[in-house]
Amino acid sequence: MSEPADSKSSSTFHLPVAEEQVEGLPPGFGDGITGKAAFVIAVGFSAFQIYIAAYGSLPSQLVRAMHVGFLLLLGFALIANLRAKSMAAKTMFWTLGALGFGTGLYNWVFYTDLIRRSGFLTTPDLIVGAVLVVLVFEAARRLMGLPLATIAFIFLAYCFFGNHLPAPFIHRGYDFAQLVDTFAYGTEGIYGTPIYVSAAYIFIFVVFAAFLERAGMIALFNDFALGLVGSWRGGPAQVCVLSSALMGTISGSGVANVVASGQFTIPLMKRFGFRPAFAGAVEATSSMGGQIMPPVMGAVAFIMAETLNIPYADVVKAAIIPAMLYFGACFWQVHLEAGKAGLHGMAKADLPNPWDAVRQHWPLVLPLAALIYLLFAGYTPVFAGTMGLALTIVLILGTPLAAAIGPLAFRIVFWLALGLAAASFMKFGVNVLSLVIAALIIACATFKGGRETLRICVDSLAEGAKNALPVGIACAIVGIVIGTLTLTGIASTFIGWIISIGENNLFLSLVLTMLTCLVLGMGIPTIPNYIITSSLAGPALLSLGVPLVVSHMFVFYFGIMADLTPPVALAAFAAAPMAKESGLKIGIQATKLALAGFVVPFMAVYTPALMLQDAGPIAAQFGYPVEVAYIVVKACMGIVLWGAAAVGFLVTRMAWWERLVAFAGGVLLVAALPLTDETGWALSLAWIGWHCWRARRARA
């Protein structure tokens, strides 16, 4: 990741940017000719996906098949180059990659024939389909770890042997050909909705984030965060929270962000006096929060929009307030922890001016602003992502050309002309933007500085494809689970069980759903966790009166919390080596920091206006904006009280009974039962007033 050449920041505390380690793989593409081959495959993968996103000239089934083929080819190629030790192992993995890509080509070549003989597959069809299933399992095991592959295998085994199980788990039984048809060729298996979303939306946004990072967006976020909050109490930790929140606007990755940024932020926090466990927890909690920070959020948001058949902007709208509360809770607890430990902020003289950073690098904000506008203007995510990516490429390619122009007035004219040409896509379509990019590429190829910029673009294409690998493979393997649920109908058994419990106690159903998410999340990433749990619990919660978007967001949030919750806590253990502290201790601290992430979903179920959904009784009397404002204020007060109870500090250190009173006040405020609001406000305000009076008296 490189910073812009004209960066003028001289800050002592400027945070460098590390090359992000993709889940399951070391950095880079390998050495020698095989490394170059993997790099070319990655670039070709990105070029194919961008072309499809811009022009959409292939049937959806072919796009899905080629997407999986590229994922398998690139995935096994990188395993061969970066992890295989012997030549025999490298040859084997390259062969597996070629076979995987061959399954995509087979679907392309015999596309019409496969449609005609659907349900009556030939022997070659069965062989290719079986090979595809085996390769997806192996790629998932190698790249995502054994737990996800094991869970998918259990579901697959259920298809084969479930007809021998007792009721209510028994099904009628399925033969080998029917299972291959379902999982390897149908749109309810590997080529189901998750892989469609990966091919259509997620890949483009991952590449978009890679281009922004190469253009210097991370450096802008770091400088802005340092300058804005570095001088606050607990400044280094506040910087970590803010920069992670900003990173969440372009990248929804979680554990990878911990690895990439934690090696700089965690030592900085420790150097300024924070406990190692707390420093690791701040990084883990804030990085995982990037998945719920609009506009890009995590890949789950795109899958949710497609699953619910709603505009992506509706998902973003539902996530805005909870995301602000999540990061607000992080800021608050860092503030309290620093006050308890007597820590101060960094010296302002050593910090960059945040607005100078924005003035120097403001063009980087334009593609992100365009993306947000297009998403909320009702355009599809694939169109918004493609246009945001194209505008980023225009910005990167135009920079060296503008620098080569002498007088400032000419540079201004150049940027205005380029901006108008790029913006014309709104009227004339993607062809105009493609011509602008082609002209810029030709111009950059004619001089040295431009050729270096072209290299940055090519590197970004390759890195974007590599970064998309874990998400794509997870979407492919989870198709086995979705196919099993659809084919056997076992989901209805689970749904009926949840409904029967919730008829008497909705809260108990919510707790069981939360525990399911947390337990599943111990072994699998957020994406398959969400897909599996929402398929099971989402319809059940909907039948119990929970709004559709709220029920899916409930599952989504606890899928993220699973990466922070002991005993597994992947994000906490990722931060452990950098914090030089036990992952379990970091996980306990992260659970405290992420308190809002645990409470807000429950609040939203009982008061959906928190996610800007259904209106409640307050709206009927005073209007919807008043209800939203009141619920947000109430949630903020709950976070204030719970943060104080967790840390044991508000204005001064708290006795054990004060922590109990603060916790009880927060519970009453979010309970949403008759008279609990009034009691909670009275108890909370009385306790805060008494605590402040006691602190002033002690100082006097």
Side-chain angles (χ1 to χ4, degrees):
M1 313 291 177
S2 58
E3 295 176 29
D6 62 344
S7 177
K8 299 174 184 176
S9 173
S10 58
S11 167
T12 305
F13 299 107
H14 182 80
L15 302 179
V17 179
E19 183 176 358
E20 191 170 301
Q21 178 175 325
V22 175
E23 193 168 355
L25 291 171
F29 290 86
D31 301 321
I33 190 169
T34 55
K36 293 178 181 177
F39 183 88
V40 170
I41 290 169
V43 174
F45 189 7
S46 290
F48 170 79
Q49 290 292 159
I50 292 172
Y51 177 81
I52 293 300
Y55 294 100
S57 56
L58 285 180
S60 176
Q61 185 78 359
L62 287 186
V63 174
R64 302 179 199 200
M66 290 304 299
H67 185 73
V68 174
F70 267 116
L71 287 170
L72 294 173
L73 176 60
L74 180 59
F76 282 118
L78 291 175
I79 293 170
N81 292 351
L82 302 176
R83 293 174 61 182
K85 302 299 182 184
S86 65
M87 182 56 67
K90 291 183 179 181
T91 303
M92 180 191 71
F93 285 123
W94 272 100
T95 303
L96 293 179
L99 286 174
F101 190 69
T103 62
L105 293 178
Y106 187 86
N107 275 269
W108 196 335
V109 173
F110 298 103
Y111 173 66
T112 304
D113 296 332
L114 287 169
I115 291 177
R116 288 173 179 168
R117 58 178 180 252
S118 177
F120 302 93
L121 301 179
T122 63
T123 300
D125 296 341
L126 293 175
I127 293 173
V128 171
V131 167
L132 172 65
V133 173
V134 171
L135 291 177
V136 167
F137 268 95
E138 179 63 8
R141 185 178 74 86
R142 296 279 180 176
L143 292 170
M144 308 300 296
L146 192 59
L148 178 57
T150 301
I151 290 173
F153 182 78
I154 291 171
F155 277 84
L156 182 62
Y158 175 70
C159 291
F160 279 99
F161 306 111
N163 55 320
H164 301 296
L165 295 176
F169 303 106
I170 189 171
H171 59 68
R172 64 180 180 84
Y174 309 95
D175 60 25
F176 178 77
Q178 186 176 1
L179 293 178
V180 171
D181 192 18
T182 298
F183 292 126
Y185 293 102
T187 55
E188 297 293 341
I190 291 172
Y191 299 147
T193 298
I195 209 67
Y196 163 71
V197 175
S198 175
Y201 306 154
I202 296 172
F203 193 97
I204 291 299
F205 279 84
V206 172
V207 175
F208 175 58
F211 269 89
L212 280 179
E213 289 174 9
R214 287 279 177 174
M217 182 64 90
I218 293 180
L220 170 60
F221 286 160
N222 286 339
D223 279 348
F224 183 78
L226 277 166
L228 194 65
V229 301
S231 60
W232 292 7
R233 179 197 287 177
Q238 305 285 23
V239 168
C240 176
V241 175
L242 180 57
S243 61
S244 294
L246 293 172
M247 271 302 298
T249 62
I250 64 169
S251 171
S253 58
V255 176
N257 279 352
V258 175
V259 177
S261 60
Q263 56 187 304
F264 306 112
T265 58
I266 292 175
L268 184 64
M269 286 185 271
K270 289 173 63 179
R271 180 151 57 95
F272 275 82
F274 284 101
R275 292 176 291 115
F278 187 81
V282 171
E283 177 59 49
T285 307
S286 53
S287 289
M288 291 309 298
Q291 294 185 76
I292 61 174
M293 176 56 72
V296 174
M297 301 171 65
V300 170
F302 297 105
I303 297 174
M304 187 187 303
E306 190 66 29
T307 302
L308 301 181
N309 194 26
I310 60 175
Y312 179 73
D314 288 357
V315 178
V316 171
K317 183 178 72 173
I320 287 176
I321 294 176
M324 293 173 65
L325 292 174
Y326 181 93
F327 282 102
C330 292
F331 278 120
W332 174 243
Q333 289 193 245
V334 165
H335 178 81
L336 295 178
E337 182 74 21
K340 183 178 179 180
L343 304 178
H344 302 288
M346 295 180 278
K348 280 193 174 182
D350 296 327
L351 299 175
N353 186 316
W355 308 113
D356 283 348
V358 173
R359 281 193 293 270
Q360 291 172 17
H361 308 298
W362 64 267
L364 295 176
V365 182
L366 296 179
L368 188 59
L371 172 69
I372 295 171
Y373 167 76
L374 292 172
L375 285 174
F376 281 92
Y379 292 91
T380 63
V382 64
F383 179 82
T386 305
M387 293 304 103
L389 173 60
L391 292 175
T392 305
I393 295 173
V394 168
L395 180 68
I396 294 174
L397 294 175
T399 299
L401 298 177
I405 299 174
L408 175 61
F410 290 164
R411 290 203 298 273
I412 292 174
V413 171
F414 169 81
W415 279 117
L416 286 174
L418 187 60
L420 290 173
S424 64
F425 79 88
M426 292 293 292
K427 183 174 182 181
F428 300 107
V430 72
N431 286 329
V432 174
L433 203 49
S434 299
L435 290 174
V436 171
I437 293 174
L440 289 173
I441 290 173
I442 294 171
C444 285
T446 59
F447 64 97
K448 184 177 179 182
R451 288 193 290 271
E452 292 172 352
T453 302
L454 290 177
R455 178 68 184 182
I456 291 175
C457 291
V458 174
D459 288 346
S460 299
L461 290 173
E463 285 295 330
K466 186 181 178 185
N467 292 345
L469 263 181
V471 177
I473 292 296
C475 288
I477 188 70
V478 84
I480 300 292
V481 177
I482 300 302
T484 301
L485 296 176
T486 304
L487 187 65
T488 65
I490 186 63
S492 61
T493 302
F494 184 87
I495 292 168
W497 180 56
I498 291 288
I499 292 174
S500 65
I501 295 172
E503 284 175 347
N504 299 318
N505 194 327
L506 173 60
F507 181 76
L508 184 57
S509 291
L510 295 174
V511 171
L512 289 173
T513 304
M514 176 189 74
L515 292 176
T516 302
C517 294
L518 294 178
V519 171
L520 270 179
M522 291 179 184
I524 63 177
T526 307
I527 295 169
N529 188 352
Y530 162 76
I531 295 172
I532 295 170
T533 316
S534 64
S535 301
L536 294 171
L541 295 179
L542 177 64
S543 67
L544 294 172
V546 181
L548 189 61
V549 173
V550 174
S551 65
H552 280 252
M553 292 293 284
F554 185 92
V555 172
F556 176 26
Y557 273 61
F558 284 111
I560 294 171
M561 292 303 104
D563 281 334
L564 298 173
T565 309
V568 178
L570 294 178
F573 279 91
M578 295 164 283
K580 294 182 173 59
E581 182 57 276
S582 160
L584 184 61
K585 291 182 179 178
I586 293 175
I588 293 171
Q589 289 291 331
T591 303
K592 293 180 182 178
L593 275 170
L595 201 58
F598 287 92
V599 175
V600 166
F602 282 92
M603 287 187 66
V605 168
Y606 291 101
T607 51
L610 189 65
M611 290 185 178
L612 302 179
Q613 300 301 305
D614 300 352
I618 298 177
Q621 188 171 359
F622 300 102
Y624 190 66
V626 174
E627 179 177 23
V628 172
Y630 172 72
I631 292 171
V632 170
V633 171
K634 190 171 69 162
C636 289
M637 178 57 78
I639 287 170
V640 167
L641 295 170
W642 279 325
V647 176
F649 183 90
L650 185 61
V651 180
T652 186
R653 289 179 179 268
M654 295 160 51
W656 65 268
W657 64 267
E658 288 186 274
R659 299 173 78 163
L660 287 178
V661 171
F663 180 77
V667 170
L668 288 170
L669 283 174
V670 302
L673 297 172
L675 296 179
T676 53
D677 276 13
E678 293 84 345
T679 307
W681 280 114
L683 179 63
S684 303
L685 294 175
W687 174 78
I688 290 174
W690 182 89
H691 178 80
C692 293
W693 173 80
R694 183 176 71 83
R696 283 198 302 270
R697 183 179 176 189
R699 283 196 297 268

